[in-house]
Amino acid sequence: MKDGSKVTRVLNIYNEFKSGKVVYKPYEANKYRVDERTIQRDIEDIRDYLEIKNDDDSILNSIVYDRTIKGYYMEEEYKKNRQKLSNSELLAICKILLDSRAFVKDEMDSILNKLINCCLDESGQEIIKEMVANEKYHYIELQHKTRFLDTLWQIGQAINEQRYIEISYIRTKDKKLVNRKLRPSAIMFSDFYFYVVAFIDDKDVRKDFDVIDDAFPTIYRIDRIKGLSVLDEKFKVVYSSRFEEGEFRKRVQFMYGGRLKRIKFKYFGCSVESILDRLPTAKILAEEEGVYTISAEVFGNGIDMWLRSQGNLIEVINN
């Protein structure tokens, strides 16, 4: 090419990006009779220009490298839709996901890789991958080894559309497969497992409840659902009496259903903050010489397990 000035070269490469072409460094270097490092600097100059331009533009343009084709292209996004995670935010999310152990290994790997590749540039990707590599390598699946993401999504859609569901479920107490027709209300996660919170209308099933007219929901581990049908039949939820999972979550421990009750106990430990964090409804009633009297409002019998697990750190006053 006769005119080999940098300005002409950079403008021509920029126009190639704008027209949707893929830019290959070896090809451009040969075309302009420069080395690949020069083309790389040109691409970085274009990136710098786009960073400045994006501040005043409703569309974000960025230069992306695709390893599969070994070339660069321009990616456009509307600014309102582009809110990428920072390196620190993404690292925190990856750590939380790994610690949750919620998914089988290959699903966990896939989710982490998609998060990292979508949210970070090439250099950031390598840093985060290195920081989580050891935990990914030593990741241990839960014993159920069940893939349930499709089931999770179907339940979510049923909740959104207010449709009944029918499930085949392996019951915890005797491992028996039972069938249930449910009004699903919420999906929740706690201590390794996803749960669907639902109401049962069937009187034959409800007769076995501790409280026959129990108005509170039942809770099912989603990995134990072996069959699911979303029915055409709909239910109606009155807004004023809708199920509020945020309020329910404050009061349920270990995802055991049951009646709403108030407990009162003394705490002899050194970190009352851990108690208040574990029981969001907890209130300190009194404190004397480092011993706290605490009350909390909770659902079900799961709280009993937790109280026993605290040993001599807790003395139950009433439950």
Side-chain angles (χ1 to χ4, degrees):
M1 180 168 288
K2 186 174 181 181
D3 188 347
S5 70
K6 177 174 180 176
V7 173
T8 301
R9 187 178 66 244
V10 171
L11 286 174
N12 285 338
I13 293 173
Y14 176 73
N15 285 331
E16 288 182 32
F17 281 129
K18 287 290 288 182
S19 64
K21 293 181 180 179
V22 177
V23 172
Y24 300 95
K25 283 197 298 185
Y27 175 81
E28 300 296 332
N30 182 63
K31 177 180 176 181
Y32 293 105
R33 297 177 185 175
V34 295
D35 59 35
E36 291 185 26
R37 287 177 298 180
T38 300
I39 300 300
Q40 183 66 53
R41 287 194 293 271
D42 293 342
I43 292 172
E44 294 305 321
D45 287 341
I46 294 171
R47 275 181 171 154
D48 291 342
Y49 167 71
L50 290 175
E51 286 294 322
I52 298 171
K53 185 173 181 291
N54 285 336
D55 289 340
D56 302 315
D57 204 339
S58 62
I59 295 178
L60 290 173
N61 296 299
S62 58
I63 305 301
V64 177
Y65 179 70
D66 189 328
R67 290 181 177 177
T68 59
I69 60 175
K70 297 182 179 179
Y72 295 82
Y73 65 93
M74 182 179 288
E75 184 177 70
E76 293 186 350
E77 291 184 63
Y78 288 101
K79 186 173 290 187
K80 64 181 180 181
N81 294 329
R82 182 185 172 105
Q83 292 184 339
K84 289 192 174 182
L85 298 168
S86 67
N87 290 9
S88 56
E89 290 170 334
L90 188 59
L91 177 61
I93 291 171
C94 289
K95 292 288 187 178
I96 291 170
L97 274 171
L98 285 163
D99 193 51
S100 76
R101 294 175 60 201
F103 310 105
V104 296
K105 182 172 173 51
D106 61 346
E107 286 181 332
M108 181 64 77
D109 286 344
S110 176
I111 291 170
L112 290 172
N113 289 338
K114 288 174 183 175
L115 271 173
I116 294 169
N117 291 335
C118 289
C119 295
L120 297 176
D121 58 27
E122 194 172 345
S123 60
Q125 290 173 17
E126 294 305 317
I127 293 171
I128 299 295
K129 285 177 181 178
E130 287 181 13
M131 295 180 78
V132 300
N134 188 260
E135 284 180 89
K136 283 180 66 178
Y137 179 77
H138 292 287
Y139 182 77
I140 299 175
E141 298 177 346
L142 297 178
Q143 293 300 305
H144 63 71
K145 300 184 186 299
T146 302
R147 301 170 189 276
F148 55 84
L149 285 173
D150 290 341
T151 301
L152 188 77
W153 179 246
Q154 286 181 279
I155 294 171
Q157 287 181 304
I159 293 169
N160 185 57
E161 297 171 5
Q162 297 182 8
R163 295 184 183 274
Y164 281 94
I165 62 173
E166 284 185 346
I167 64 171
S168 298
Y169 184 78
I170 297 180
R171 197 158 54 187
T172 306
K173 62 181 179 181
D174 56 10
K175 311 302 180 190
K176 182 180 177 182
L177 190 67
V178 296
N179 296 317
R180 295 284 184 266
K181 180 182 175 182
L182 307 172
R183 284 186 286 131
S185 296
I187 292 172
M188 306 181 83
F189 179 82
S190 178
D191 296 326
F192 307 127
Y193 307 114
F194 282 94
Y195 299 83
V196 55
V197 180
F199 293 87
I200 299 177
D201 294 332
D202 192 330
K203 292 182 179 179
D204 288 336
V205 175
R206 291 169 62 86
K207 71 180 183 347
D208 295 326
F209 285 9
D210 292 335
V211 182
I212 292 177
D213 294 324
D214 190 354
F216 302 113
T218 53
I219 301 172
Y220 300 87
R221 253 176 56 183
I222 290 178
D223 62 277
R224 286 189 171 145
I225 295 176
K226 300 306 174 185
L228 168 70
S229 296
V230 178
L231 306 181
D232 291 333
E233 183 182 358
K234 289 191 170 186
F235 56 88
K236 187 174 182 180
V237 176
V238 178
Y239 184 81
S240 60
S241 60
R242 72 194 186 283
F243 177 78
E244 296 187 76
E245 56 262 46
E247 289 300 314
F248 181 74
R249 190 67 179 86
K250 292 178 185 177
R251 295 167 172 81
V252 66
Q253 300 299 317
F254 304 102
M255 302 308 290
Y256 278 74
R259 288 181 293 176
L260 184 66
K261 59 183 178 180
R262 182 170 293 278
I263 61 170
K264 187 176 178 182
F265 58 90
K266 289 185 177 181
Y267 175 67
F268 298 89
C270 59
S271 178
V272 71
E273 291 86 359
S274 63
I275 303 297
L276 300 179
D277 289 339
R278 185 58 168 139
L279 305 173
T281 62
K283 294 181 180 179
I284 297 173
L285 303 179
E287 186 269 328
E288 185 176 351
E289 297 182 355
V291 177
Y292 294 87
T293 301
I294 297 172
S295 70
E297 196 175 56
V298 295
F299 278 111
N301 300 321
I303 188 64
D304 298 333
M305 296 172 55
W306 180 81
L307 290 169
R308 289 194 297 270
S309 73
Q310 300 304 300
N312 58 12
L313 293 179
I314 282 180
E315 177 187 315
V316 178
I317 299 172
N318 72 279
N319 184 3

